[in-house]
Amino acid sequence: MATVSAAAILAAVAGCSSGPGTSDSDTSGSGEVVVTCATCQESPTDPFLQYNYEAAQRFNEEFAGDYRIETIENPNAGSGDDRLQYYQRLALADDLPDLFQLNSGEIKAMQETGKLHDFTSSLDADGDWAASFHDQAFDALTGSEGQIWAIPQQRDAIGIYYNSALLEAAGYDQFPETWDDFEDLAAELKQQGKIALALDGDWATKLMWANLIGTQPGGAEFLGEKIVELDDWGDDPTVVQATERLRDWHTEGYVNSDAFSGDFQSAAAPYLTEEAATVPNGPWFVNTNLKTTGAAEGLYENTGYAPAPGWTDDGQGSVIVSGAGWVSGTTDERELEAVDAFVKFMTSEDEVLAQAQETGANPPVQVDATATAAADLEPLATGLIEQAVDLKYSYPHARVHGPAGLDTSWKNLWPAYVKGDMDTDEFLQRLTEDSASSAQ
């Protein structure tokens, strides 16, 4: 009853009539088609939501009389722990919005509801549009039988931000290119009373886990394929070596004391206050953190953005992700026409460049080099994208292809492992088993 009531309230707010995929659209074949969007609301704090809102207004202006986006205001529009359950409840009530966004892990869980629209036919029908996307842009958004559950919003190379002034004070004129050199830097920073690496026990920590796995031969294969097989991950020496080295950085005192919080701001804060020399994150970190009043004066000018070091001199790498994607819960043919028009609009050259300027995220589609140069994009982000082309290794984030339960299992088990309450074999076995059971 609570689920149905919540869905009914949402439907009333959105102006929807009852039943799956319906809205106040004119379904007679003429007139303006109205589709609901649950990720297009204004936000003073979330640059992605704010960009979506402004882009939806531009779409409404361009397609006035044919299609219109109507915004659903909801507390789960941005990413968060409750977003998946929110949409699962709406799927149960056959009342998903016509447009909304999910990340790859949420898509893995939501596809089980059978309520997501498959965009395969739309891409097949428009070869030019399909060909405009970067290679592997759909990897994290594809179902087990080849369904395309989402249209990607971005495709980013994720690296490590570093404070060049702190590195210089420690005797380094560039970011280390090997993990051994990184540890030498960490030891020197510790001697100076600084933190080498800011982590959070969740997103940023698993980024470094992916980096340590992905910069080994076979690591990209594990992160892209084997991680979903849910065998005992402790049987993979690549995973064991990465896990133990990441644990050692904690026990050696190279990370912040609150590195188990599960909140990325625990990692961001020491970097922004110049207590920590490095922090891993995506290009959006510039606008959401580095250029805010919370950052120390001059920090942006002292910040560099580097790929991950490698286990060998020529073994650097970078996490490559497509991030969140646009999904749809409608089955109405005319509403799907409007949905297609919207996602094509959002992946047009003008819009992906506008998004890059507003959020720092990189386009999922190929963009003319001249247009990119003229757009004056964030140099930190574009610099890493250019470097990533020549890196030896590229690989997905562990959460992209991993089981939906990995995030929760990691946050629960990682602190106990680091503190010595379990050994590596037990940790990886438990992580495998709990990730599988949590995904059910």
Side-chain angles (χ1 to χ4, degrees):
M1 288 297 293
T3 300
V4 174
S5 298
I9 292 170
L10 178 60
V13 171
C16 296
S17 58
S18 61
T22 61
S23 70
D24 59 357
S25 305
D26 180 343
T27 57
S28 65
S30 62
E32 187 175 64
V33 180
V34 179
V35 290
T36 55
C37 178
T39 324
C40 296
Q41 67 190 50
E42 288 186 279
S43 173
T45 58
D46 188 324
F48 284 95
L49 286 179
Q50 184 62 28
Y51 162 73
N52 292 347
Y53 169 78
E54 294 171 1
Q57 309 317 303
R58 291 191 289 271
F59 175 86
N60 287 344
E61 183 177 350
E62 181 171 332
F63 290 91
D66 294 321
Y67 310 123
R68 179 165 58 86
I69 302 298
E70 185 174 274
T71 298
I72 295 174
E73 300 285 342
N74 77 88
N76 297 293
S79 60
D81 293 339
D82 298 328
R83 186 167 74 171
L84 174 59
Q85 292 182 347
Y86 172 77
Y87 288 121
Q88 286 175 323
R89 291 196 298 270
L90 295 185
L92 182 65
D94 269 346
D95 202 28
L96 284 173
D98 302 322
L99 282 162
F100 55 109
Q101 289 181 326
L102 297 174
N103 64 38
S104 55
E106 293 166 333
I107 287 172
K108 283 180 173 60
M110 280 293 293
Q111 66 181 341
E112 302 300 325
T113 69
K115 303 298 183 181
L116 293 182
H117 170 64
D118 180 2
F119 284 95
T120 302
S121 59
S122 300
L123 290 158
D124 288 345
D126 192 337
D128 289 342
W129 181 47
S132 70
F133 289 91
H134 284 294
D135 293 342
Q136 302 176 317
F138 290 94
D139 282 3
L141 310 175
T142 301
S144 59
E145 298 178 1
Q147 308 98 322
I148 304 296
W149 296 125
I151 302 301
Q153 185 181 29
Q154 73 237 42
R155 179 182 179 273
D156 291 313
I158 296 182
I160 301 172
Y161 289 92
Y162 64 91
N163 185 321
S164 60
L166 292 183
L167 263 63
E168 183 177 347
Y172 285 73
D173 58 4
Q174 64 179 24
F175 192 75
E177 295 186 0
T178 69
W179 294 120
D180 286 345
D181 285 344
F182 179 77
E183 287 190 0
D184 289 343
L185 167 64
E188 180 60 32
L189 287 165
K190 183 180 178 181
Q191 288 291 323
Q192 298 183 8
K194 296 294 183 181
I195 299 164
L197 178 64
L199 296 178
D200 58 5
D202 186 21
W203 161 260
T205 304
K206 289 200 296 297
L207 274 174
M208 294 308 292
W209 192 56
N211 284 329
L212 286 161
I213 294 172
T215 50
Q216 298 181 63
E221 182 182 0
F222 171 80
L223 293 168
E225 299 174 16
K226 292 182 180 179
I227 196 171
V228 298
E229 295 173 4
L230 293 173
D231 295 328
D232 182 357
W233 296 338
D235 290 339
D236 190 320
T238 303
V239 179
V240 171
Q241 187 166 230
T243 304
E244 292 182 343
R245 196 148 193 180
L246 183 59
R247 174 204 59 194
D248 292 347
W249 293 346
H250 288 68
T251 58
E252 291 293 334
Y254 296 156
V255 305
N256 46 310
S257 59
D258 55 348
F260 302 127
S261 71
D263 182 356
F264 177 72
Q265 289 308 310
S266 295
Y271 183 82
L272 296 178
T273 56
E274 299 187 305
E275 298 171 59
T278 71
V279 63
N281 205 10
W284 50 86
F285 179 74
V286 176
N287 285 348
T288 57
N289 289 272
L290 199 53
K291 289 185 175 180
T292 67
T293 56
E297 185 177 354
L299 180 59
Y300 173 79
E301 289 74 17
N302 286 333
T303 292
Y305 196 33
W311 296 82
T312 61
D313 290 338
D314 64 345
Q316 291 178 280
S318 177
V319 171
I320 305 292
V321 298
S322 56
W326 289 101
V327 297
S328 177
T330 185
T331 58
D332 181 86
E333 290 187 9
R334 293 204 69 216
E335 290 171 3
L336 286 173
E337 288 179 10
V339 166
D340 278 356
F342 181 74
V343 293
K344 288 180 180 180
F345 175 83
M346 295 294 278
T347 53
S348 65
E349 182 172 283
D350 286 347
E351 284 303 320
V352 296
L353 289 176
Q355 175 186 259
Q357 290 174 313
E358 294 299 320
T359 67
N362 291 285
V365 295
Q366 303 167 56
V367 180
D368 179 75
T370 303
T372 301
D376 192 26
L377 302 182
E378 170 53 51
L380 289 175
T382 55
L384 185 59
I385 281 285
E386 292 168 0
Q387 288 185 65
V389 174
D390 297 322
L391 295 177
K392 184 173 183 178
Y393 297 111
S394 62
Y395 37 88
H397 192 343
R399 73 161 46 170
V400 170
H401 290 286
L406 175 59
D407 286 356
T408 299
S409 302
W410 182 280
K411 285 189 288 187
N412 290 339
L413 297 171
W414 180 249
Y417 170 61
V418 171
K419 294 173 182 177
D421 295 338
M422 60 181 79
D423 62 19
T424 303
D425 286 343
E426 182 182 357
F427 168 68
L428 290 174
Q429 182 179 8
R430 287 277 307 277
L431 187 64
T432 307
E433 294 171 351
D434 290 7
S435 295
S437 61
S438 297
Q440 302 300 320

